[in-house]
mmCIF file of all heavy atoms in Angstrom:
data_model
loop_
_atom_site.group_PDB
_atom_site.id
_atom_site.type_symbol
_atom_site.label_atom_id
_atom_site.label_comp_id
_atom_site.label_asym_id
_atom_site.label_seq_id
_atom_site.Cartn_x
_atom_site.Cartn_y
_atom_site.Cartn_z
ATOM 1 N N SER A 165 -4.826 9.719 -2.731
ATOM 2 C CA SER A 165 -5.647 10.965 -2.871
ATOM 3 C C SER A 165 -6.286 11.031 -4.242
ATOM 4 O O SER A 165 -5.887 10.329 -5.167
ATOM 5 C CB SER A 165 -4.769 12.132 -2.567
ATOM 6 O OG SER A 165 -3.703 12.252 -3.590
ATOM 7 N N LYS A 166 -7.260 11.870 -4.311
ATOM 8 C CA LYS A 166 -7.925 12.142 -5.640
ATOM 9 C C LYS A 166 -7.912 13.680 -5.908
ATOM 10 O O LYS A 166 -8.156 14.474 -4.933
ATOM 11 C CB LYS A 166 -9.357 11.671 -5.618
ATOM 12 C CG LYS A 166 -9.549 10.138 -5.804
ATOM 13 C CD LYS A 166 -10.966 9.784 -6.201
ATOM 14 C CE LYS A 166 -12.009 10.256 -5.253
ATOM 15 N NZ LYS A 166 -13.357 9.855 -5.711
ATOM 16 N N ASP A 167 -7.705 14.027 -7.134
ATOM 17 C CA ASP A 167 -7.899 15.453 -7.573
ATOM 18 C C ASP A 167 -9.076 15.369 -8.549
ATOM 19 O O ASP A 167 -8.951 15.025 -9.639
ATOM 20 C CB ASP A 167 -6.622 15.935 -8.235
ATOM 21 C CG ASP A 167 -6.718 17.361 -8.598
ATOM 22 O OD1 ASP A 167 -7.840 17.874 -8.915
ATOM 23 O OD2 ASP A 167 -5.675 18.046 -8.664
ATOM 24 N N ASN A 168 -10.233 15.717 -8.025
ATOM 25 C CA ASN A 168 -11.474 15.649 -8.790
ATOM 26 C C ASN A 168 -11.372 16.632 -10.045
ATOM 27 O O ASN A 168 -11.932 16.309 -11.110
ATOM 28 C CB ASN A 168 -12.678 15.935 -8.013
ATOM 29 C CG ASN A 168 -12.895 14.811 -6.937
ATOM 30 O OD1 ASN A 168 -12.636 13.665 -7.194
ATOM 31 N ND2 ASN A 168 -13.369 15.190 -5.785
ATOM 32 N N ALA A 169 -10.786 17.742 -9.839
ATOM 33 C CA ALA A 169 -10.624 18.691 -10.936
ATOM 34 C C ALA A 169 -9.838 18.110 -12.120
ATOM 35 O O ALA A 169 -10.122 18.400 -13.297
ATOM 36 C CB ALA A 169 -10.056 20.013 -10.490
ATOM 37 N N GLU A 170 -8.786 17.366 -11.761
ATOM 38 C CA GLU A 170 -7.916 16.756 -12.720
ATOM 39 C C GLU A 170 -8.451 15.340 -13.168
ATOM 40 O O GLU A 170 -7.908 14.745 -14.057
ATOM 41 C CB GLU A 170 -6.492 16.647 -12.238
ATOM 42 C CG GLU A 170 -5.854 17.971 -12.023
ATOM 43 C CD GLU A 170 -5.669 18.747 -13.267
ATOM 44 O OE1 GLU A 170 -5.291 18.118 -14.349
ATOM 45 O OE2 GLU A 170 -5.761 19.998 -13.291
ATOM 46 N N ASN A 171 -9.464 14.873 -12.485
ATOM 47 C CA ASN A 171 -10.004 13.495 -12.648
ATOM 48 C C ASN A 171 -8.960 12.438 -12.606
ATOM 49 O O ASN A 171 -8.808 11.538 -13.426
ATOM 50 C CB ASN A 171 -10.682 13.439 -14.060
ATOM 51 C CG ASN A 171 -11.945 12.585 -14.090
ATOM 52 O OD1 ASN A 171 -12.742 12.638 -13.128
ATOM 53 N ND2 ASN A 171 -12.191 11.771 -15.076
ATOM 54 N N THR A 172 -8.054 12.677 -11.579
ATOM 55 C CA THR A 172 -6.893 11.820 -11.411
ATOM 56 C C THR A 172 -6.772 11.332 -9.963
ATOM 57 O O THR A 172 -7.029 12.166 -9.065
ATOM 58 C CB THR A 172 -5.647 12.593 -11.879
ATOM 59 O OG1 THR A 172 -5.737 12.944 -13.239
ATOM 60 C CG2 THR A 172 -4.383 11.702 -11.696
ATOM 61 N N MET A 173 -6.322 10.121 -9.785
ATOM 62 C CA MET A 173 -6.053 9.621 -8.483
ATOM 63 C C MET A 173 -4.520 9.482 -8.348
ATOM 64 O O MET A 173 -3.841 9.185 -9.336
ATOM 65 C CB MET A 173 -6.741 8.242 -8.298
ATOM 66 C CG MET A 173 -6.406 7.573 -6.895
ATOM 67 S SD MET A 173 -7.223 5.989 -6.736
ATOM 68 C CE MET A 173 -6.453 4.966 -7.946
ATOM 69 N N TYR A 174 -4.029 9.607 -7.111
ATOM 70 C CA TYR A 174 -2.549 9.521 -6.870
ATOM 71 C C TYR A 174 -2.266 8.529 -5.769
ATOM 72 O O TYR A 174 -3.117 8.251 -4.898
ATOM 73 C CB TYR A 174 -2.000 10.880 -6.527
ATOM 74 C CG TYR A 174 -2.225 11.985 -7.510
ATOM 75 C CD1 TYR A 174 -3.257 12.844 -7.447
ATOM 76 C CD2 TYR A 174 -1.350 12.034 -8.615
ATOM 77 C CE1 TYR A 174 -3.464 13.822 -8.452
ATOM 78 C CE2 TYR A 174 -1.504 12.978 -9.653
ATOM 79 C CZ TYR A 174 -2.580 13.849 -9.554
ATOM 80 O OH TYR A 174 -2.748 14.815 -10.485
ATOM 81 N N LEU A 175 -1.018 8.023 -5.770
ATOM 82 C CA LEU A 175 -0.561 7.296 -4.632
ATOM 83 C C LEU A 175 0.878 7.783 -4.415
ATOM 84 O O LEU A 175 1.763 7.548 -5.211
ATOM 85 C CB LEU A 175 -0.475 5.767 -4.950
ATOM 86 C CG LEU A 175 -0.060 4.892 -3.741
ATOM 87 C CD1 LEU A 175 -1.103 4.911 -2.700
ATOM 88 C CD2 LEU A 175 0.243 3.456 -4.260
ATOM 89 N N GLN A 176 1.051 8.498 -3.292
ATOM 90 C CA GLN A 176 2.381 8.989 -2.862
ATOM 91 C C GLN A 176 2.973 7.891 -2.078
ATOM 92 O O GLN A 176 2.420 7.506 -1.017
ATOM 93 C CB GLN A 176 2.282 10.280 -2.041
ATOM 94 C CG GLN A 176 3.564 10.837 -1.517
ATOM 95 C CD GLN A 176 4.528 11.249 -2.627
ATOM 96 O OE1 GLN A 176 4.111 11.898 -3.586
ATOM 97 N NE2 GLN A 176 5.761 10.907 -2.518
ATOM 98 N N MET A 177 4.171 7.424 -2.502
ATOM 99 C CA MET A 177 4.876 6.350 -1.767
ATOM 100 C C MET A 177 6.216 6.858 -1.266
ATOM 101 O O MET A 177 7.052 7.249 -2.020
ATOM 102 C CB MET A 177 5.047 5.156 -2.772
ATOM 103 C CG MET A 177 3.794 4.714 -3.448
ATOM 104 S SD MET A 177 4.012 3.219 -4.401
ATOM 105 C CE MET A 177 5.165 3.798 -5.704
ATOM 106 N N ASN A 178 6.345 6.790 0.020
ATOM 107 C CA ASN A 178 7.547 7.216 0.724
ATOM 108 C C ASN A 178 8.190 6.049 1.472
ATOM 109 O O ASN A 178 7.502 5.034 1.654
ATOM 110 C CB ASN A 178 7.235 8.346 1.733
ATOM 111 C CG ASN A 178 6.651 9.622 1.064
ATOM 112 O OD1 ASN A 178 7.022 9.916 -0.105
ATOM 113 N ND2 ASN A 178 5.848 10.285 1.732
ATOM 114 N N SER A 179 9.419 6.192 1.867
ATOM 115 C CA SER A 179 10.154 5.146 2.571
ATOM 116 C C SER A 179 9.991 3.773 1.944
ATOM 117 O O SER A 179 9.683 2.771 2.582
ATOM 118 C CB SER A 179 9.647 5.120 4.012
ATOM 119 O OG SER A 179 9.777 6.351 4.659
ATOM 120 N N LEU A 180 10.263 3.744 0.670
ATOM 121 C CA LEU A 180 9.965 2.491 -0.095
ATOM 122 C C LEU A 180 11.010 1.431 0.299
ATOM 123 O O LEU A 180 12.190 1.718 0.620
ATOM 124 C CB LEU A 180 10.146 2.822 -1.602
ATOM 125 C CG LEU A 180 8.856 3.483 -2.227
ATOM 126 C CD1 LEU A 180 9.217 4.169 -3.491
ATOM 127 C CD2 LEU A 180 7.728 2.381 -2.369
ATOM 128 N N LYS A 181 10.532 0.216 0.282
ATOM 129 C CA LYS A 181 11.303 -0.950 0.639
ATOM 130 C C LYS A 181 11.352 -1.873 -0.521
ATOM 131 O O LYS A 181 10.530 -1.910 -1.390
ATOM 132 C CB LYS A 181 10.621 -1.685 1.832
ATOM 133 C CG LYS A 181 10.322 -0.823 3.033
ATOM 134 C CD LYS A 181 9.542 -1.548 4.031
ATOM 135 C CE LYS A 181 9.252 -0.797 5.259
ATOM 136 N NZ LYS A 181 8.484 -1.538 6.315
ATOM 137 N N PRO A 182 12.384 -2.749 -0.532
ATOM 138 C CA PRO A 182 12.496 -3.715 -1.631
ATOM 139 C C PRO A 182 11.276 -4.559 -1.805
ATOM 140 O O PRO A 182 10.849 -4.923 -2.932
ATOM 141 C CB PRO A 182 13.701 -4.577 -1.230
ATOM 142 C CG PRO A 182 14.604 -3.640 -0.466
ATOM 143 C CD PRO A 182 13.639 -2.802 0.307
ATOM 144 N N GLU A 183 10.579 -4.946 -0.714
ATOM 145 C CA GLU A 183 9.379 -5.709 -0.789
ATOM 146 C C GLU A 183 8.212 -4.935 -1.385
ATOM 147 O O GLU A 183 7.133 -5.542 -1.625
ATOM 148 C CB GLU A 183 9.010 -6.222 0.564
ATOM 149 C CG GLU A 183 8.926 -5.229 1.718
ATOM 150 C CD GLU A 183 10.271 -5.177 2.478
ATOM 151 O OE1 GLU A 183 11.320 -5.146 1.915
ATOM 152 O OE2 GLU A 183 10.207 -5.032 3.719
ATOM 153 N N ASP A 184 8.274 -3.637 -1.642
ATOM 154 C CA ASP A 184 7.337 -2.944 -2.354
ATOM 155 C C ASP A 184 7.395 -3.121 -3.866
ATOM 156 O O ASP A 184 6.554 -2.614 -4.650
ATOM 157 C CB ASP A 184 7.398 -1.406 -2.070
ATOM 158 C CG ASP A 184 7.021 -1.096 -0.582
ATOM 159 O OD1 ASP A 184 6.172 -1.705 -0.045
ATOM 160 O OD2 ASP A 184 7.794 -0.311 0.000
ATOM 161 N N THR A 185 8.417 -3.783 -4.347
ATOM 162 C CA THR A 185 8.575 -4.014 -5.767
ATOM 163 C C THR A 185 7.401 -4.827 -6.298
ATOM 164 O O THR A 185 7.085 -5.879 -5.787
ATOM 165 C CB THR A 185 9.930 -4.759 -6.051
ATOM 166 O OG1 THR A 185 11.006 -3.904 -5.624
ATOM 167 C CG2 THR A 185 10.059 -5.111 -7.501
ATOM 168 N N ALA A 186 6.784 -4.283 -7.294
ATOM 169 C CA ALA A 186 5.543 -4.890 -7.879
ATOM 170 C C ALA A 186 5.060 -4.088 -9.032
ATOM 171 O O ALA A 186 5.552 -2.985 -9.265
ATOM 172 C CB ALA A 186 4.455 -5.077 -6.840
ATOM 173 N N VAL A 187 4.142 -4.645 -9.811
ATOM 174 C CA VAL A 187 3.372 -3.826 -10.740
ATOM 175 C C VAL A 187 2.143 -3.261 -9.972
ATOM 176 O O VAL A 187 1.469 -4.023 -9.341
ATOM 177 C CB VAL A 187 2.915 -4.635 -11.917
ATOM 178 C CG1 VAL A 187 2.124 -3.817 -12.943
ATOM 179 C CG2 VAL A 187 4.104 -5.267 -12.671
ATOM 180 N N TYR A 188 1.964 -2.005 -10.014
ATOM 181 C CA TYR A 188 0.913 -1.302 -9.352
ATOM 182 C C TYR A 188 -0.197 -0.968 -10.382
ATOM 183 O O TYR A 188 0.064 -0.458 -11.459
ATOM 184 C CB TYR A 188 1.379 -0.034 -8.721
ATOM 185 C CG TYR A 188 2.219 -0.338 -7.462
ATOM 186 C CD1 TYR A 188 3.465 -0.911 -7.520
ATOM 187 C CD2 TYR A 188 1.643 -0.084 -6.138
ATOM 188 C CE1 TYR A 188 4.130 -1.244 -6.371
ATOM 189 C CE2 TYR A 188 2.404 -0.304 -5.082
ATOM 190 C CZ TYR A 188 3.642 -0.964 -5.145
ATOM 191 O OH TYR A 188 4.316 -1.250 -4.005
ATOM 192 N N TYR A 189 -1.488 -1.254 -9.955
ATOM 193 C CA TYR A 189 -2.615 -1.034 -10.756
ATOM 194 C C TYR A 189 -3.625 -0.113 -10.083
ATOM 195 O O TYR A 189 -3.879 -0.359 -8.899
ATOM 196 C CB TYR A 189 -3.343 -2.344 -11.093
ATOM 197 C CG TYR A 189 -2.509 -3.375 -11.798
ATOM 198 C CD1 TYR A 189 -1.742 -4.288 -11.105
ATOM 199 C CD2 TYR A 189 -2.559 -3.438 -13.208
ATOM 200 C CE1 TYR A 189 -0.963 -5.225 -11.798
ATOM 201 C CE2 TYR A 189 -1.788 -4.407 -13.842
ATOM 202 C CZ TYR A 189 -0.979 -5.286 -13.155
ATOM 203 O OH TYR A 189 -0.236 -6.285 -13.822
ATOM 204 N N CYS A 190 -4.273 0.781 -10.776
ATOM 205 C CA CYS A 190 -5.346 1.533 -10.228
ATOM 206 C C CYS A 190 -6.641 0.822 -10.622
ATOM 207 O O CYS A 190 -6.751 0.120 -11.661
ATOM 208 C CB CYS A 190 -5.372 3.004 -10.648
ATOM 209 S SG CYS A 190 -5.512 3.278 -12.429
ATOM 210 N N ASN A 191 -7.673 0.978 -9.793
ATOM 211 C CA ASN A 191 -8.958 0.287 -9.919
ATOM 212 C C ASN A 191 -10.098 1.214 -9.620
ATOM 213 O O ASN A 191 -10.026 2.053 -8.805
ATOM 214 C CB ASN A 191 -9.018 -0.892 -8.958
ATOM 215 C CG ASN A 191 -10.349 -1.570 -8.943
ATOM 216 O OD1 ASN A 191 -11.160 -1.310 -8.079
ATOM 217 N ND2 ASN A 191 -10.614 -2.420 -9.953
ATOM 218 N N LEU A 192 -11.115 1.047 -10.423
ATOM 219 C CA LEU A 192 -12.361 1.797 -10.217
ATOM 220 C C LEU A 192 -13.552 0.809 -10.390
ATOM 221 O O LEU A 192 -13.608 0.053 -11.373
ATOM 222 C CB LEU A 192 -12.429 2.928 -11.266
ATOM 223 C CG LEU A 192 -13.622 3.882 -11.168
ATOM 224 C CD1 LEU A 192 -13.212 5.139 -11.873
ATOM 225 C CD2 LEU A 192 -14.847 3.286 -11.933
ATOM 226 N N ALA A 193 -14.377 0.718 -9.415
ATOM 227 C CA ALA A 193 -15.529 -0.190 -9.462
ATOM 228 C C ALA A 193 -16.776 0.660 -9.454
ATOM 229 O O ALA A 193 -17.170 1.177 -8.372
ATOM 230 C CB ALA A 193 -15.469 -1.183 -8.326
ATOM 231 N N PHE A 194 -17.470 0.775 -10.561
ATOM 232 C CA PHE A 194 -18.712 1.521 -10.695
ATOM 233 C C PHE A 194 -19.402 1.053 -11.902
ATOM 234 O O PHE A 194 -18.974 1.337 -13.079
ATOM 235 C CB PHE A 194 -18.466 3.034 -10.724
ATOM 236 C CG PHE A 194 -19.699 3.851 -10.809
ATOM 237 C CD1 PHE A 194 -20.468 4.054 -9.755
ATOM 238 C CD2 PHE A 194 -20.098 4.435 -12.039
ATOM 239 C CE1 PHE A 194 -21.611 4.878 -9.768
ATOM 240 C CE2 PHE A 194 -21.196 5.192 -12.155
ATOM 241 C CZ PHE A 194 -22.003 5.414 -10.973
ATOM 242 N N ARG A 195 -20.478 0.303 -11.748
ATOM 243 C CA ARG A 195 -21.169 -0.324 -12.879
ATOM 244 C C ARG A 195 -20.214 -1.100 -13.756
ATOM 245 O O ARG A 195 -20.268 -1.039 -14.978
ATOM 246 C CB ARG A 195 -21.874 0.755 -13.684
ATOM 247 C CG ARG A 195 -22.935 1.517 -12.903
ATOM 248 C CD ARG A 195 -23.660 2.585 -13.715
ATOM 249 N NE ARG A 195 -24.673 3.257 -12.907
ATOM 250 C CZ ARG A 195 -25.310 4.292 -13.338
ATOM 251 N NH1 ARG A 195 -25.116 4.817 -14.555
ATOM 252 N NH2 ARG A 195 -26.216 4.877 -12.544
ATOM 253 N N GLY A 196 -19.281 -1.704 -13.104
ATOM 254 C CA GLY A 196 -18.215 -2.481 -13.746
ATOM 255 C C GLY A 196 -16.986 -2.417 -12.970
ATOM 256 O O GLY A 196 -16.908 -1.632 -12.037
ATOM 257 N N ASN A 197 -15.999 -3.166 -13.378
ATOM 258 C CA ASN A 197 -14.720 -3.149 -12.645
ATOM 259 C C ASN A 197 -13.619 -2.833 -13.691
ATOM 260 O O ASN A 197 -13.433 -3.559 -14.556
ATOM 261 C CB ASN A 197 -14.442 -4.533 -12.029
ATOM 262 C CG ASN A 197 -13.442 -4.533 -10.883
ATOM 263 O OD1 ASN A 197 -13.197 -3.514 -10.374
ATOM 264 N ND2 ASN A 197 -12.795 -5.709 -10.729
ATOM 265 N N TYR A 198 -12.900 -1.712 -13.412
ATOM 266 C CA TYR A 198 -11.985 -1.253 -14.430
ATOM 267 C C TYR A 198 -10.575 -1.131 -13.796
ATOM 268 O O TYR A 198 -10.399 -0.779 -12.601
ATOM 269 C CB TYR A 198 -12.415 0.204 -14.886
ATOM 270 C CG TYR A 198 -13.790 0.211 -15.450
ATOM 271 C CD1 TYR A 198 -14.914 0.525 -14.650
ATOM 272 C CD2 TYR A 198 -14.009 -0.139 -16.770
ATOM 273 C CE1 TYR A 198 -16.168 0.547 -15.180
ATOM 274 C CE2 TYR A 198 -15.270 -0.131 -17.330
ATOM 275 C CZ TYR A 198 -16.378 0.226 -16.502
ATOM 276 O OH TYR A 198 -17.635 0.247 -17.023
#
């Protein structure tokens, strides 16, 4: 989800599994890749 007022994106993760273990990165692609 995104909260445009807060200029923030979220990822709600439920029912997590051991295979979800990782480093998580957010990404934005607009006139560049960030």
